[in-house]
Amino acid sequence: QFPNFQKKSGSLEDPSNNNTETAEFLSNKPYTNSIEALEIFKNDDLVVKPGSKFSYTTYGLTLAGAVLEKCSGRSYRQLANGLFSDLGMRHTQLDTKKKIIPGRVNYYHRNSETNELENCPEVDCSYKYAGGGIISNVTDLVIFANAILHSYQLDTKKNLIKRETIRKFISEQIPIDNSVKSTTSAGLGWFLVDGKGVKSLNGNVANSPFFYHTGAAVGASSVLLIKPGFSESQTSSGVCVAILCNLQNCSVYNLGRDIGDLFYNSM
């Protein structure tokens, strides 16, 4: 059974898509590892009391990356590369601006006054590798999403992580207060949607729950959405959607949700 996604959701884009103009977002300072990157915010005051209110934070994932480094004794780069290798994600790596990466696109944004496309400035993502510093393609992202879907539904030797562990990630941690008409819930690194009341492209209502995360970077927008199905056999079932766009502040959440609905309804 699915977790109880108590909040209804409509057209919600996660708040990380609203900070692409801040000075820290345009950082060009290199950091050796996630622990070193904590220097940016480790002395800042808390925004809210932990567990009392939702507040999206890229730095929260930087902190999680630092915890992984401390516990494992390995760098986040080593940990990430090991995961990419195990899953066969051959086109995924930490984004290093000096490295020549085959197939890397140019990054664009629209001029706020003329609406013309312009090149984005070069940035260094080492301060947020765990929270938005990975470069990939949609094929690799779907590989990752399918591994999450399999682990969520089944408990086998092929699991990326234990089912009980991933279900802790995909469970409501705190409700989200939004000014938009519909709301959703926050899990651990994922946004949770019960699907009720969400209309698809053809006007039908999709009643199946899903979880997702959108992303925003300098010159890029993305969404990874997983819509579990129901399976009576020992095989995972559902729909995984990955969309990448090399344009800043370009919402792709609704498109990903609609694609997920279309494929899910044809299963």
Side-chain angles (χ1 to χ4, degrees):
Q1 294 182 348
F2 293 109
N4 182 18
F5 297 167
Q6 297 178 350
K7 299 297 178 181
K8 294 182 179 181
S9 176
S11 178
L12 177 71
E13 190 79 22
D14 90 58
S16 66
N17 274 342
N18 298 324
N19 63 356
T20 51
E21 301 298 334
T22 63
E24 290 178 350
F25 205 83
L26 300 174
S27 170
N28 258 306
K29 181 178 179 179
Y31 293 91
T32 304
N33 51 47
S34 296
I35 294 176
E36 185 179 304
L38 297 179
E39 296 175 3
I40 301 175
F41 63 93
K42 67 180 182 181
N43 295 319
D44 291 355
D45 294 332
L46 287 174
V47 176
V48 296
K49 180 181 178 181
S52 64
K53 183 180 179 181
F54 173 80
S55 178
Y56 187 88
T57 167
T58 296
Y59 291 147
L61 296 173
T62 297
L63 178 59
V67 171
L68 288 174
E69 289 182 341
K70 190 69 173 180
C71 292
S72 66
R74 303 171 67 192
S75 69
Y76 186 82
R77 181 181 297 277
Q78 291 174 316
L79 294 170
N81 287 342
L83 174 65
F84 303 151
S85 176
D86 289 344
L87 290 179
M89 298 170 64
R90 300 177 181 177
H91 303 284
T92 304
Q93 57 188 285
L94 299 190
D95 190 2
T96 305
K97 63 180 182 179
K98 291 183 178 180
K99 187 174 182 180
I100 296 176
I101 300 176
R104 185 204 289 264
V105 300
N106 292 324
Y107 302 116
Y108 303 101
H109 71 99
R110 289 194 178 276
N111 184 291
S112 59
E113 296 181 358
T114 66
N115 204 39
E116 293 180 349
L117 284 177
E118 297 177 342
N119 291 310
C120 284
E122 188 177 63
V123 296
D124 191 303
C125 293
S126 59
Y127 77 96
K128 58 161 189 173
Y129 275 149
I134 296 174
I135 190 167
S136 187
N137 62 18
V138 291
T139 301
D140 276 10
L141 288 178
V142 169
I143 290 174
F144 175 74
N146 272 297
I148 294 293
L149 175 62
H150 178 92
S151 298
Y152 176 82
Q153 291 187 315
L154 304 175
D155 196 6
T156 69
K157 294 181 179 179
K158 294 182 179 181
N159 278 32
L160 175 61
I161 54 179
K162 293 180 179 179
R163 181 170 61 176
E164 63 179 300
T165 301
I166 189 60
R167 290 195 171 219
K168 290 180 180 178
F169 280 80
I170 315 301
S171 61
E172 181 178 308
Q173 302 298 312
I174 190 168
I176 299 176
D177 246 334
N178 294 289
S179 58
V180 294
K181 183 177 180 180
S182 299
T183 58
T184 190
S185 302
L188 295 174
W190 295 94
F191 292 90
L192 318 176
V193 181
D194 66 2
K196 296 179 180 178
V198 179
K199 290 186 177 180
S200 58
L201 282 172
N202 59 10
N204 294 328
V205 175
N207 294 314
S208 54
F210 61 90
F211 49 96
Y212 74 97
H213 202 301
T214 59
V218 176
S221 304
S222 63
V223 65
L224 184 65
L225 183 148
I226 301 176
K227 199 174 183 68
F230 295 93
S231 177
E232 297 180 356
S233 62
Q234 287 300 305
T235 58
S236 55
S237 171
V239 175
C240 300
V241 180
I243 300 176
L244 297 175
C245 178
N246 58 327
L247 178 63
Q248 187 168 308
N249 294 334
C250 175
S251 175
V252 291
Y253 165 72
N254 287 339
L255 176 61
R257 188 199 65 200
D258 289 339
I259 291 174
D261 287 345
L262 291 173
F263 278 88
Y264 188 87
N265 293 334
S266 66
M267 287 174 55

